[in-house]
Amino acid sequence: MSLGLGPAEWQVVGLSMQVAIWATLASLPFGILAALMLARGRFWGREALNILVHLPLVLPPVVTGYLLLLLFGSQAPLGRFFEATLGLSFAFRWTGAALACAIMAFPLMVRAIRLSIEAVDPKLEEAAATLGASRLRIFATLTLPLALPGILAGMVLGFAKALGEFGATITFVSNIPGQTQTIPTAIYSLLQVPGQENAALRLILISIALSAGALIASEWLARSMTKRMRGS
């Protein structure tokens, strides 16, 4: 088996990286906000928010994909809103694949960031507040820097999950080569055609390498966070 990738396979890998990067970056601000609310917030509806954030972890991916189709399809209310206001279309586009990947990766990202925020000593924030610092300044200059390794770990986990997302993506935006076909959907397509096993195996090996690299980076960041919190 040759490990050399052809143009079509490079296109799949490139599109997968593009989708995963945008899914991670676009969901990061919402992930930090949700993690902060869950870690520090005491408000009515907190448990409902917690359930909503983690729902994609337990829902069948095809259900999430179908719900995205109902909300962000070309004739759906949010789909029409984004197209009219931002010129952003999700139906059968790579942007829709990025949206599906972001939704599916969101719980993992929030969980890692939430743990890192909870590890920050609240007494430090209380001391800053007694000195007159606003909540925004405390978060920007104290909580955020201390939680940074966990935020990076959450980004890496979200990126890895986005790279491997399949069910919601194929349900929401289908499996269109050059448009929405990522590594998992390309592997699925290749395995349906006799004689394409080697091409599928090449993409499988690339997927394993990328996922393993992301997990190694996440573990390194988690250890770095632990050492930092212990002051070593």
Side-chain angles (χ1 to χ4, degrees):
M1 182 194 72
S2 171
L3 289 177
L5 298 181
E9 291 160 323
W10 277 117
Q11 184 183 52
V12 168
V13 174
L15 183 61
S16 297
M17 297 293 287
Q18 176 182 337
V19 165
I21 289 172
W22 275 104
T24 304
L25 295 179
S27 60
L28 181 60
F30 303 101
I32 293 176
L33 178 61
L36 180 64
M37 292 173 71
L38 292 174
R40 293 287 191 257
R42 298 291 180 270
F43 56 91
W44 186 87
R46 179 174 177 275
E47 286 307 314
L49 175 64
N50 189 40
I51 292 172
L52 183 64
V53 165
H54 292 92
L55 204 55
L57 274 182
V58 293
L59 272 179
V62 66
V63 174
T64 303
Y66 184 67
L67 292 175
L68 288 174
L69 197 59
L70 292 179
L71 292 172
F72 293 93
S74 57
Q75 299 303 317
L78 290 176
R80 288 201 302 268
F81 171 78
F82 278 101
E83 186 155 11
T85 56
L86 302 176
L88 189 58
S89 175
F90 295 107
F92 307 111
R93 302 280 303 276
W94 73 266
T95 48
L99 176 63
C101 290
I103 296 294
M104 296 302 293
F106 196 68
L108 291 177
M109 177 186 287
V110 171
R111 196 170 185 83
I113 298 174
R114 177 183 176 179
L115 289 175
S116 67
I117 292 176
E118 287 177 341
V120 176
D121 190 349
K123 292 179 181 176
L124 294 175
E125 297 169 337
E126 292 169 5
T130 60
L131 295 174
S134 66
R135 287 188 177 184
L136 181 60
R137 185 174 181 184
I138 291 172
F139 175 73
T141 62
L142 184 63
T143 310
L144 193 60
L146 288 175
L148 187 58
I151 294 173
L152 294 175
M155 291 178 65
V156 172
L157 282 176
F159 175 79
K161 174 63 179 173
L163 269 181
E165 213 297 304
F166 174 78
T169 302
I170 201 169
T171 305
F172 182 33
V173 293
S174 191
N175 182 14
I176 306 171
Q179 287 290 331
T180 63
Q181 189 175 71
T182 57
I183 291 177
T185 55
I187 292 171
Y188 172 78
S189 295
L190 289 168
L191 290 177
Q192 307 304 308
V193 182
Q196 295 297 314
E197 292 81 3
N198 284 347
L201 186 55
R202 285 195 290 269
L203 291 179
I204 289 170
L205 291 175
I206 289 175
S207 181
I208 292 172
L210 290 173
S211 300
L215 286 175
I216 290 170
S218 176
E219 286 296 318
W220 181 82
L221 288 167
R223 284 198 296 272
S224 172
M225 179 178 66
T226 302
K227 289 180 180 178
R228 187 172 178 174
M229 292 302 173
R230 291 174 178 172
S232 59

